[in-house]
Amino acid sequence: MSEQSATIESLGLRRPEAGGGLIIDGKLISQSVLAETAAGAAELLLKHRVRPGLAVVLVGEDPASQVYVRSKGKAAESCGFHSEQHTLPATTSQADVLALVEKLNADPAIHGILVQLPLPAHIDATKVIETISPAKDVDGFHPVNAGLLAIGEPARAFVPCTPAGSMILLQRAAKALKVDLAGRDAVIVGRSNIVGKPMAQLLLAANCTVTIAHSRTRDLADVVRRADIVVAAVGRPEMIRGDWIKPGAIVIDVGINRVAGQGVDAAGKPRTRLVGDVDYAGASQRAAAITPVPGGVGPMTIALLMANTLTSANRATAR
Ligand code: GUN
């Protein structure tokens, strides 16, 4: 192995057999984040007898949410955390959800509280988020945390997990490619509070020139064509076409969309497959580095949730 490819691999990227840009291996990089988090949790336990505690609240029976919540519990246990899942029926009143959040706010064994979204329609998600103590808001959705990030104080905030994980992938790719992020044109497609807006703040903090494009942006293809860095977070399967990607760009695909596959499975059900917001086959031929779907940003989100929970436990212990 050449020295250069050893460096690329140690950063969690690999060269595709079929040619094209480097693949940013989110699964591998998430494992290194989880291992560091587990080591940090072990140290906190040894030095201060404090075990990081994460409480996940699920209201209703949404199957995708059930899968996510189960993975979060498993990851917490793998890091040596105390992990609680509170599953409430879809008919639970808003007052009861708020009461549970207040109880978790007051519980010293809990350092991180995550209320899985979406919530049933009769519950005001904003109200629930604003009831979580900002000090335990490991999702980073509370206005206090969004505000700290917006004023350039990410070290005092909790940064939302998906953009924080995306940023690590981008930094690894930039290092592997030996490029500096400062001064680069970054285009984010999508303006959500969970991904697009916090991602813009993080890219700005890394001295990129940032554009947030969205559903009303005119000439989206032309905007994306200017980008040295593309972050796609629109939730529309393969919307970003391969020929929109500037040769040599770094592409971070946040989308996870289930679409029809080919044929039927063993049980006779039509097969489905996961695709991102970017046309991977086309984009990977032009990008210098790109995240795959699945196995890119997805695993980073859970890993950063664990990292945020450890941060919260460390802050609570230092207070
Ligand atoms: N639903 C989908 N993604 C998320 C997330 O990151 N946090 C929460 N709380 N709910 C979600």
PDB file of all heavy atoms in Angstrom, residues 93-119:
ATOM      1  N   SER A  93     -51.530  12.785  26.067  1.00  0.00           N
ATOM      2  CA  SER A  93     -51.787  14.233  25.980  1.00  0.00           C
ATOM      3  C   SER A  93     -50.464  15.004  25.969  1.00  0.00           C
ATOM      4  O   SER A  93     -49.441  14.509  26.461  1.00  0.00           O
ATOM      5  CB  SER A  93     -52.635  14.696  27.165  1.00  0.00           C
ATOM      6  OG  SER A  93     -51.859  14.618  28.352  1.00  0.00           O
ATOM      7  N   GLN A  94     -50.513  16.207  25.440  1.00  0.00           N
ATOM      8  CA  GLN A  94     -49.325  17.062  25.444  1.00  0.00           C
ATOM      9  C   GLN A  94     -48.862  17.317  26.887  1.00  0.00           C
ATOM     10  O   GLN A  94     -47.660  17.298  27.171  1.00  0.00           O
ATOM     11  CB  GLN A  94     -49.652  18.392  24.750  1.00  0.00           C
ATOM     12  CG  GLN A  94     -48.499  19.379  24.838  1.00  0.00           C
ATOM     13  CD  GLN A  94     -48.703  20.562  23.922  1.00  0.00           C
ATOM     14  OE1 GLN A  94     -48.967  20.393  22.737  1.00  0.00           O
ATOM     15  NE2 GLN A  94     -48.592  21.750  24.470  1.00  0.00           N
ATOM     16  N   ALA A  95     -49.831  17.507  27.796  1.00  0.00           N
ATOM     17  CA  ALA A  95     -49.480  17.779  29.200  1.00  0.00           C
ATOM     18  C   ALA A  95     -48.673  16.611  29.775  1.00  0.00           C
ATOM     19  O   ALA A  95     -47.697  16.826  30.508  1.00  0.00           O
ATOM     20  CB  ALA A  95     -50.751  18.011  30.008  1.00  0.00           C
ATOM     21  N   ASP A  96     -49.036  15.384  29.414  1.00  0.00           N
ATOM     22  CA  ASP A  96     -48.306  14.228  29.955  1.00  0.00           C
ATOM     23  C   ASP A  96     -46.892  14.139  29.371  1.00  0.00           C
ATOM     24  O   ASP A  96     -45.951  13.761  30.059  1.00  0.00           O
ATOM     25  CB  ASP A  96     -49.082  12.924  29.684  1.00  0.00           C
ATOM     26  CG  ASP A  96     -50.283  12.775  30.637  1.00  0.00           C
ATOM     27  OD1 ASP A  96     -50.390  13.594  31.579  1.00  0.00           O
ATOM     28  OD2 ASP A  96     -51.101  11.858  30.420  1.00  0.00           O
ATOM     29  N   VAL A  97     -46.741  14.481  28.080  1.00  0.00           N
ATOM     30  CA  VAL A  97     -45.398  14.474  27.477  1.00  0.00           C
ATOM     31  C   VAL A  97     -44.535  15.544  28.164  1.00  0.00           C
ATOM     32  O   VAL A  97     -43.386  15.283  28.542  1.00  0.00           O
ATOM     33  CB  VAL A  97     -45.469  14.711  25.949  1.00  0.00           C
ATOM     34  CG1 VAL A  97     -44.062  14.805  25.355  1.00  0.00           C
ATOM     35  CG2 VAL A  97     -46.249  13.605  25.259  1.00  0.00           C
ATOM     36  N   LEU A  98     -45.109  16.725  28.373  1.00  0.00           N
ATOM     37  CA  LEU A  98     -44.355  17.809  29.024  1.00  0.00           C
ATOM     38  C   LEU A  98     -43.979  17.417  30.448  1.00  0.00           C
ATOM     39  O   LEU A  98     -42.859  17.703  30.905  1.00  0.00           O
ATOM     40  CB  LEU A  98     -45.166  19.109  29.012  1.00  0.00           C
ATOM     41  CG  LEU A  98     -45.472  19.693  27.621  1.00  0.00           C
ATOM     42  CD1 LEU A  98     -46.285  20.980  27.752  1.00  0.00           C
ATOM     43  CD2 LEU A  98     -44.204  19.947  26.819  1.00  0.00           C
ATOM     44  N   ALA A  99     -44.897  16.721  31.132  1.00  0.00           N
ATOM     45  CA  ALA A  99     -44.610  16.304  32.516  1.00  0.00           C
ATOM     46  C   ALA A  99     -43.442  15.315  32.539  1.00  0.00           C
ATOM     47  O   ALA A  99     -42.574  15.381  33.419  1.00  0.00           O
ATOM     48  CB  ALA A  99     -45.859  15.690  33.139  1.00  0.00           C
ATOM     49  N   LEU A 100     -43.405  14.417  31.562  1.00  0.00           N
ATOM     50  CA  LEU A 100     -42.293  13.464  31.497  1.00  0.00           C
ATOM     51  C   LEU A 100     -40.971  14.204  31.240  1.00  0.00           C
ATOM     52  O   LEU A 100     -39.951  13.925  31.883  1.00  0.00           O
ATOM     53  CB  LEU A 100     -42.551  12.407  30.407  1.00  0.00           C
ATOM     54  CG  LEU A 100     -41.389  11.462  30.111  1.00  0.00           C
ATOM     55  CD1 LEU A 100     -40.977  10.667  31.356  1.00  0.00           C
ATOM     56  CD2 LEU A 100     -41.739  10.491  28.970  1.00  0.00           C
ATOM     57  N   VAL A 101     -41.003  15.164  30.324  1.00  0.00           N
ATOM     58  CA  VAL A 101     -39.783  15.937  30.023  1.00  0.00           C
ATOM     59  C   VAL A 101     -39.307  16.663  31.290  1.00  0.00           C
ATOM     60  O   VAL A 101     -38.111  16.649  31.612  1.00  0.00           O
ATOM     61  CB  VAL A 101     -40.023  16.924  28.855  1.00  0.00           C
ATOM     62  CG1 VAL A 101     -38.863  17.905  28.715  1.00  0.00           C
ATOM     63  CG2 VAL A 101     -40.243  16.164  27.546  1.00  0.00           C
ATOM     64  N   GLU A 102     -40.232  17.263  32.026  1.00  0.00           N
ATOM     65  CA  GLU A 102     -39.862  17.969  33.279  1.00  0.00           C
ATOM     66  C   GLU A 102     -39.223  17.008  34.279  1.00  0.00           C
ATOM     67  O   GLU A 102     -38.252  17.351  34.959  1.00  0.00           O
ATOM     68  CB  GLU A 102     -41.109  18.613  33.925  1.00  0.00           C
ATOM     69  CG  GLU A 102     -41.788  19.669  33.081  1.00  0.00           C
ATOM     70  CD  GLU A 102     -41.120  21.049  33.167  1.00  0.00           C
ATOM     71  OE1 GLU A 102     -39.963  21.113  33.613  1.00  0.00           O
ATOM     72  OE2 GLU A 102     -41.774  22.027  32.766  1.00  0.00           O
ATOM     73  N   LYS A 103     -39.786  15.804  34.335  1.00  0.00           N
ATOM     74  CA  LYS A 103     -39.255  14.800  35.277  1.00  0.00           C
ATOM     75  C   LYS A 103     -37.820  14.438  34.880  1.00  0.00           C
ATOM     76  O   LYS A 103     -36.925  14.350  35.724  1.00  0.00           O
ATOM     77  CB  LYS A 103     -40.176  13.564  35.253  1.00  0.00           C
ATOM     78  CG  LYS A 103     -39.901  12.594  36.374  1.00  0.00           C
ATOM     79  CD  LYS A 103     -40.983  11.516  36.429  1.00  0.00           C
ATOM     80  CE  LYS A 103     -40.341  10.200  36.355  1.00  0.00           C
ATOM     81  NZ  LYS A 103     -40.572   9.182  35.539  1.00  0.00           N
ATOM     82  N   LEU A 104     -37.598  14.259  33.580  1.00  0.00           N
ATOM     83  CA  LEU A 104     -36.245  13.916  33.096  1.00  0.00           C
ATOM     84  C   LEU A 104     -35.290  15.098  33.285  1.00  0.00           C
ATOM     85  O   LEU A 104     -34.115  14.908  33.595  1.00  0.00           O
ATOM     86  CB  LEU A 104     -36.305  13.477  31.627  1.00  0.00           C
ATOM     87  CG  LEU A 104     -37.098  12.183  31.369  1.00  0.00           C
ATOM     88  CD1 LEU A 104     -37.360  11.996  29.873  1.00  0.00           C
ATOM     89  CD2 LEU A 104     -36.387  10.971  31.938  1.00  0.00           C
ATOM     90  N   ASN A 105     -35.798  16.322  33.119  1.00  0.00           N
ATOM     91  CA  ASN A 105     -34.966  17.521  33.364  1.00  0.00           C
ATOM     92  C   ASN A 105     -34.402  17.496  34.787  1.00  0.00           C
ATOM     93  O   ASN A 105     -33.264  17.909  35.021  1.00  0.00           O
ATOM     94  CB  ASN A 105     -35.798  18.802  33.219  1.00  0.00           C
ATOM     95  CG  ASN A 105     -36.016  19.210  31.767  1.00  0.00           C
ATOM     96  OD1 ASN A 105     -35.306  18.755  30.878  1.00  0.00           O
ATOM     97  ND2 ASN A 105     -37.000  20.069  31.540  1.00  0.00           N
ATOM     98  N   ALA A 106     -35.232  17.011  35.732  1.00  0.00           N
ATOM     99  CA  ALA A 106     -34.860  17.064  37.153  1.00  0.00           C
ATOM    100  C   ALA A 106     -34.071  15.833  37.596  1.00  0.00           C
ATOM    101  O   ALA A 106     -33.584  15.791  38.722  1.00  0.00           O
ATOM    102  CB  ALA A 106     -36.124  17.202  37.995  1.00  0.00           C
ATOM    103  N   ASP A 107     -33.929  14.846  36.723  1.00  0.00           N
ATOM    104  CA  ASP A 107     -33.300  13.569  37.106  1.00  0.00           C
ATOM    105  C   ASP A 107     -31.781  13.648  36.917  1.00  0.00           C
ATOM    106  O   ASP A 107     -31.292  13.742  35.790  1.00  0.00           O
ATOM    107  CB  ASP A 107     -33.902  12.448  36.229  1.00  0.00           C
ATOM    108  CG  ASP A 107     -33.373  11.081  36.612  1.00  0.00           C
ATOM    109  OD1 ASP A 107     -32.365  11.005  37.356  1.00  0.00           O
ATOM    110  OD2 ASP A 107     -33.959  10.081  36.155  1.00  0.00           O
ATOM    111  N   PRO A 108     -30.999  13.592  38.005  1.00  0.00           N
ATOM    112  CA  PRO A 108     -29.539  13.734  37.876  1.00  0.00           C
ATOM    113  C   PRO A 108     -28.864  12.570  37.124  1.00  0.00           C
ATOM    114  O   PRO A 108     -27.729  12.724  36.661  1.00  0.00           O
ATOM    115  CB  PRO A 108     -29.051  13.804  39.330  1.00  0.00           C
ATOM    116  CG  PRO A 108     -30.154  13.239  40.152  1.00  0.00           C
ATOM    117  CD  PRO A 108     -31.428  13.448  39.410  1.00  0.00           C
ATOM    118  N   ALA A 109     -29.555  11.444  36.989  1.00  0.00           N
ATOM    119  CA  ALA A 109     -28.962  10.310  36.258  1.00  0.00           C
ATOM    120  C   ALA A 109     -29.078  10.500  34.744  1.00  0.00           C
ATOM    121  O   ALA A 109     -28.472   9.757  33.964  1.00  0.00           O
ATOM    122  CB  ALA A 109     -29.644   9.008  36.670  1.00  0.00           C
ATOM    123  N   ILE A 110     -29.863  11.491  34.326  1.00  0.00           N
ATOM    124  CA  ILE A 110     -30.087  11.728  32.882  1.00  0.00           C
ATOM    125  C   ILE A 110     -29.341  12.990  32.448  1.00  0.00           C
ATOM    126  O   ILE A 110     -29.564  14.070  32.984  1.00  0.00           O
ATOM    127  CB  ILE A 110     -31.616  11.869  32.593  1.00  0.00           C
ATOM    128  CG1 ILE A 110     -32.338  10.559  32.906  1.00  0.00           C
ATOM    129  CG2 ILE A 110     -31.867  12.292  31.140  1.00  0.00           C
ATOM    130  CD1 ILE A 110     -31.851   9.344  32.118  1.00  0.00           C
ATOM    131  N   HIS A 111     -28.456  12.812  31.460  1.00  0.00           N
ATOM    132  CA  HIS A 111     -27.694  13.952  30.923  1.00  0.00           C
ATOM    133  C   HIS A 111     -28.188  14.380  29.549  1.00  0.00           C
ATOM    134  O   HIS A 111     -27.913  15.495  29.112  1.00  0.00           O
ATOM    135  CB  HIS A 111     -26.207  13.597  30.856  1.00  0.00           C
ATOM    136  CG  HIS A 111     -25.671  13.176  32.185  1.00  0.00           C
ATOM    137  ND1 HIS A 111     -25.529  11.852  32.544  1.00  0.00           N
ATOM    138  CD2 HIS A 111     -25.311  13.902  33.261  1.00  0.00           C
ATOM    139  CE1 HIS A 111     -25.071  11.787  33.790  1.00  0.00           C
ATOM    140  NE2 HIS A 111     -24.935  13.008  34.246  1.00  0.00           N
ATOM    141  N   GLY A 112     -28.868  13.470  28.868  1.00  0.00           N
ATOM    142  CA  GLY A 112     -29.369  13.784  27.538  1.00  0.00           C
ATOM    143  C   GLY A 112     -30.814  13.350  27.399  1.00  0.00           C
ATOM    144  O   GLY A 112     -31.174  12.242  27.821  1.00  0.00           O
ATOM    145  N   ILE A 113     -31.649  14.243  26.834  1.00  0.00           N
ATOM    146  CA  ILE A 113     -33.063  13.914  26.589  1.00  0.00           C
ATOM    147  C   ILE A 113     -33.329  14.096  25.108  1.00  0.00           C
ATOM    148  O   ILE A 113     -33.005  15.152  24.536  1.00  0.00           O
ATOM    149  CB  ILE A 113     -34.005  14.861  27.379  1.00  0.00           C
ATOM    150  CG1 ILE A 113     -33.700  14.800  28.878  1.00  0.00           C
ATOM    151  CG2 ILE A 113     -35.468  14.515  27.095  1.00  0.00           C
ATOM    152  CD1 ILE A 113     -34.433  15.890  29.693  1.00  0.00           C
ATOM    153  N   LEU A 114     -33.890  13.070  24.501  1.00  0.00           N
ATOM    154  CA  LEU A 114     -34.242  13.170  23.083  1.00  0.00           C
ATOM    155  C   LEU A 114     -35.696  12.752  22.929  1.00  0.00           C
ATOM    156  O   LEU A 114     -36.062  11.645  23.334  1.00  0.00           O
ATOM    157  CB  LEU A 114     -33.325  12.251  22.268  1.00  0.00           C
ATOM    158  CG  LEU A 114     -33.588  12.218  20.763  1.00  0.00           C
ATOM    159  CD1 LEU A 114     -32.280  12.091  20.014  1.00  0.00           C
ATOM    160  CD2 LEU A 114     -34.523  11.083  20.372  1.00  0.00           C
ATOM    161  N   VAL A 115     -36.513  13.652  22.417  1.00  0.00           N
ATOM    162  CA  VAL A 115     -37.899  13.299  22.093  1.00  0.00           C
ATOM    163  C   VAL A 115     -37.935  13.059  20.592  1.00  0.00           C
ATOM    164  O   VAL A 115     -37.666  13.969  19.792  1.00  0.00           O
ATOM    165  CB  VAL A 115     -38.878  14.420  22.514  1.00  0.00           C
ATOM    166  CG1 VAL A 115     -40.308  14.032  22.136  1.00  0.00           C
ATOM    167  CG2 VAL A 115     -38.767  14.701  24.005  1.00  0.00           C
ATOM    168  N   GLN A 116     -38.230  11.823  20.211  1.00  0.00           N
ATOM    169  CA  GLN A 116     -38.166  11.463  18.794  1.00  0.00           C
ATOM    170  C   GLN A 116     -39.243  12.213  18.006  1.00  0.00           C
ATOM    171  O   GLN A 116     -40.410  12.267  18.416  1.00  0.00           O
ATOM    172  CB  GLN A 116     -38.352   9.938  18.649  1.00  0.00           C
ATOM    173  CG  GLN A 116     -38.196   9.405  17.236  1.00  0.00           C
ATOM    174  CD  GLN A 116     -36.771   9.492  16.710  1.00  0.00           C
ATOM    175  OE1 GLN A 116     -35.801   9.508  17.449  1.00  0.00           O
ATOM    176  NE2 GLN A 116     -36.641   9.572  15.393  1.00  0.00           N
ATOM    177  N   LEU A 117     -38.857  12.795  16.902  1.00  0.00           N
ATOM    178  CA  LEU A 117     -39.786  13.478  16.010  1.00  0.00           C
ATOM    179  C   LEU A 117     -40.036  12.599  14.786  1.00  0.00           C
ATOM    180  O   LEU A 117     -39.174  11.797  14.448  1.00  0.00           O
ATOM    181  CB  LEU A 117     -39.188  14.825  15.575  1.00  0.00           C
ATOM    182  CG  LEU A 117     -38.813  15.795  16.708  1.00  0.00           C
ATOM    183  CD1 LEU A 117     -38.172  17.052  16.140  1.00  0.00           C
ATOM    184  CD2 LEU A 117     -40.022  16.156  17.558  1.00  0.00           C
ATOM    185  N   PRO A 118     -41.141  12.676  14.106  1.00  0.00           N
ATOM    186  CA  PRO A 118     -42.263  13.587  14.362  1.00  0.00           C
ATOM    187  C   PRO A 118     -43.108  13.128  15.538  1.00  0.00           C
ATOM    188  O   PRO A 118     -43.165  11.930  15.840  1.00  0.00           O
ATOM    189  CB  PRO A 118     -43.048  13.516  13.047  1.00  0.00           C
ATOM    190  CG  PRO A 118     -42.765  12.154  12.493  1.00  0.00           C
ATOM    191  CD  PRO A 118     -41.366  11.832  12.917  1.00  0.00           C
ATOM    192  N   LEU A 119     -43.792  14.099  16.160  1.00  0.00           N
ATOM    193  CA  LEU A 119     -44.741  13.792  17.228  1.00  0.00           C
ATOM    194  C   LEU A 119     -46.149  13.742  16.628  1.00  0.00           C
ATOM    195  O   LEU A 119     -46.392  14.340  15.577  1.00  0.00           O
ATOM    196  CB  LEU A 119     -44.665  14.893  18.295  1.00  0.00           C
ATOM    197  CG  LEU A 119     -43.434  14.825  19.205  1.00  0.00           C
ATOM    198  CD1 LEU A 119     -43.241  16.141  19.952  1.00  0.00           C
ATOM    199  CD2 LEU A 119     -43.542  13.665  20.185  1.00  0.00           C
TER     200      LEU A 119
END
